Amino acid sequence: MSTAQWLYVSLISVYMILFLVFARIFYWKYQADRTYYSRRPTDLSTGGIHALAEAHNREVPGISLLVPARNEADVIEKTIDHLAHLNYSPEHYEILVVTDEKEAMASREERARVIANLTTFLSNEGPFTGGESEESVLLALLARLALEETDLAERRLANQFSLDEVRSLSPLHRQTLLHEMAQTLIQTEGKVDRDRLMAITRRVKPNISTDEADRLYPIFLSFAFPTVLLHLNLKHQAGETLIKRLMSQVAQARRPLTQKVLATLTETVSQHMTRRLRQASAEQLDEWLNAACQLALPTTQEIVERKRMEFAAQRGLPALKHVEVPYDFDGYVDGGCTGQWVPSTKGRALNWAFRFTNPANEMWGFYDAESRPEPDALLYVAWRRLTDGTNFRIAQGPVYQVRNFWKLGAFTKVAGIYQAISHEWRLPLLLGEIPFTGGTNMWVERNLMLEIGGFDDTVLTEDMELGARAWLKGGAWPAFIPCSSSEQTPASYKAFFRQRLRWGSGYLQVFDKLKADQTLPAEKKAYLLRTYWWKGHFSWTLFQLTAFLPLIAGILRWQGMLDVHAVPAWINGILFTFTPIYLLFTFYSFFHHGKHMDPAPAITRAAGFAQLFLLPISAFLLPVPYSYALVLKAMGRAPKAWVKTPRTKE
């Protein structure tokens, strides 16, 4: 056998092995369905849980849901609303949103700077020198002034529209809708279709009907034009040019406004707004700017407090608690305030929040700030708690990070899909091998959490470390719960890389911590270290090396160093089917998890669907953050600071 033949046989042998490794997915699916998903009760209900508790002579399990949320103003409101309507008796569960005092402190500083800059600008004492924050606050101010011209607009829109439906919206919804619509028009320079603007309407008011959205869209568009025009004119930019383009491109509705009516309305409202700005006193301008800051630059605290007051005024909702972590909290479960700045981490925030939970609640559930758990998740946890008792002390459910799929880059689309498949089918079996917990859609018995001392807030992957410690020191192995939660994947590869680098570095950090701890049970510790090394150090290195195979094969083929005739033609034929199979499975996974994705315009869906064909490139990039974590650790430069993952606005 020649060298070229030997190289080709070796290469396709590796490809065959890798295909078999891939094919394990179908075995995972079979086992997960047979062992967990098919055995999930189909008749779970609140009444059934009450009857089961009575039959066991027990109380209905009380549950506390804890949601750490620092700088989460873009997503936290919808998460609270979702958690408040889970299928469980509201008197038996509570929601604790845990914010960070540092966010409010930073917001006060930013708002003071923005208001000072805009006051100088609007008083004609200087040019516009602000950044994105100033842009957004100025637009929010103008949106408010535009909406205050509803009487003038109604006269100008006579026989076109009634503004009764606009007035039926809350002032907050009106201002938010107009602000976001005008902001989108400016950011896209008018290159935006009607579907995207309609999506803003539906996002601000999720339960709106199609007919109502069709009626509101053109009305708010008519208010957006003078808002955009004045915003650009104040900055001495060509607002009229953009407005003309917008009128011809996006001013289409079920009952379209004529360009003449729009032009007249835009100019008149803009003039009224300009006059009000010039005549405003310093006190009035300061009041307007402070209100605009709350709309354009809201803090998580402000949103949670607003929701808390809404909940207090309604019946049939669980208790909503707002817990703010002091800037100087030391991070320990039974710790206190030091008087000095302490770095923020997720584990530190949760350790502070534990003291505010209802002591009668026996189970704690943990969700991220953009989580959407299944409606029956609490029912299932209560059912397991009642049927398994103290054998069910810690559990982990699957997390599908695909909800913002249509806002992701090409690579992160593929990453999100395969992460979802891994959690759905691989995670149930993985929990039979290691005590894994992922921090979200995670459940821990109150007594167990306090017994083992809460989270270690010095570890980058405090969730994984907790699962290991729950077994090593608490004797509790995580169970799998077949109730999913949908979440987001970082939109850009840079954000994805940073998140996965933290995961990989935290994994290695936990490995080193266990290795150095001489107080742990020797046999358990040895088992975990072996398993962690095999699934971490070894597997990451192997996957990264195999990712180079297509490049190596291409180079060898180009150099004439591969002889494809070294094997029968039918083997080559099988080899060439692998790539289509990988692609077909990717598209199957896409459709399989499509119900967890937020809707998007048709043109966005078509482009996103096409991006899945970049799977071969994505397969190379997937293991890179973990490989880099190994390299940084070997160089003694492993990251130690906890970095928050950015969210996509919902």
Side-chain angles (χ1 to χ4, degrees), residues 408-569:
L408 301 177
F411 166 73
T412 46
K413 280 185 173 69
V414 175
I417 285 175
Y418 275 89
Q419 183 272 349
I421 285 293
S422 176
H423 263 240
E424 183 178 8
W425 298 340
R426 173 59 178 143
L427 180 61
L429 278 68
L430 182 67
L431 284 173
E433 302 168 11
I434 59 174
F436 173 80
T437 46
T440 180
N441 202 11
M442 180 181 76
W443 298 85
V444 185
E445 180 192 61
R446 173 191 176 91
N447 292 340
L448 173 63
M449 180 67 84
L450 297 178
E451 175 189 334
I452 63 177
F455 290 99
D456 182 345
D457 70 310
T458 66
V459 177
L460 296 179
T461 48
E462 73 292 324
D463 39 19
M464 172 190 168
E465 192 276 340
L466 180 80
R469 189 156 34 92
W471 181 55
L472 292 169
K473 293 191 173 182
W477 189 281
F480 177 77
I481 61 170
C483 299
S484 67
S485 174
S486 71
E487 292 190 1
Q488 296 182 4
T489 287
S492 68
Y493 181 69
K494 180 180 179 181
F496 173 90
F497 185 93
R498 188 170 62 178
Q499 182 192 65
R500 265 48 175 190
L501 176 62
R502 176 172 65 84
W503 291 0
S505 299
Y507 185 101
L508 300 175
Q509 193 179 8
V510 172
F511 180 90
D512 289 344
K513 178 184 177 181
L514 296 182
K515 189 175 182 181
D517 191 342
Q518 301 303 317
T519 67
L520 299 175
E523 187 174 345
K524 288 184 175 181
K525 172 181 171 180
Y527 169 78
L528 272 191
L529 290 177
R530 287 195 307 270
T531 308
Y532 283 162
W533 181 87
W534 177 260
K535 296 187 178 301
H537 307 61
F538 175 80
S539 297
W540 299 348
T541 303
L542 179 63
F543 290 152
Q544 187 63 78
L545 290 175
T546 56
F548 284 103
L549 278 180
L551 178 62
I552 294 172
I555 293 174
L556 292 176
R557 185 72 179 269
W558 179 56
Q559 295 290 331
M561 298 178 64
L562 294 179
D563 184 357
V564 298
H565 302 294
V567 298

Side-chain angles (χ1 to χ4, degrees), residues 271-407:
Q271 289 175 359
H272 278 238
M273 293 163 63
T274 302
R275 189 179 307 116
R276 293 189 64 192
L277 278 176
R278 289 174 178 170
Q279 295 175 350
S281 64
E283 293 76 12
Q284 180 69 73
L285 186 59
D286 186 68
E287 178 189 337
W288 286 347
L289 288 172
N290 273 286
C293 279
Q294 292 185 32
L295 177 70
L297 306 174
T299 64
T300 312
Q301 284 92 338
E302 289 170 343
I303 294 174
V304 176
E305 278 301 303
R306 173 165 55 81
K307 298 302 295 185
R308 189 178 65 82
M309 289 188 288
E310 287 179 13
F311 276 39
Q314 299 181 52
R315 291 186 176 183
L317 293 176
L320 174 61
K321 297 179 180 178
H322 177 200
V323 179
E324 187 175 57
V325 184
Y327 77 96
D328 56 347
F329 172 55
D330 61 16
Y332 298 103
V333 168
D334 55 355
C337 298
T338 65
Q340 298 179 346
W341 191 280
V342 179
S344 295
T345 66
K346 180 179 176 181
R348 169 181 172 271
L350 291 170
N351 284 346
W352 171 262
F354 293 160
R355 65 194 70 188
F356 298 97
T357 58
N358 184 341
N361 290 350
E362 59 189 82
M363 290 298 292
W364 289 347
F366 299 86
Y367 286 105
D368 283 344
E370 87 286 19
S371 295
R372 302 288 186 276
E374 285 186 29
D376 289 345
L378 275 63
L379 291 173
Y380 182 86
V381 169
W383 175 75
R384 286 291 300 270
R385 187 69 178 170
L386 290 170
T387 54
D388 292 354
T390 55
N391 291 325
F392 183 79
R393 305 187 71 193
I394 182 170
Q396 178 66 49
V399 178
Y400 306 149
Q401 293 184 337
V402 295
R403 202 170 63 252
N404 62 334
F405 181 85
W406 302 111
K407 297 180 181 178

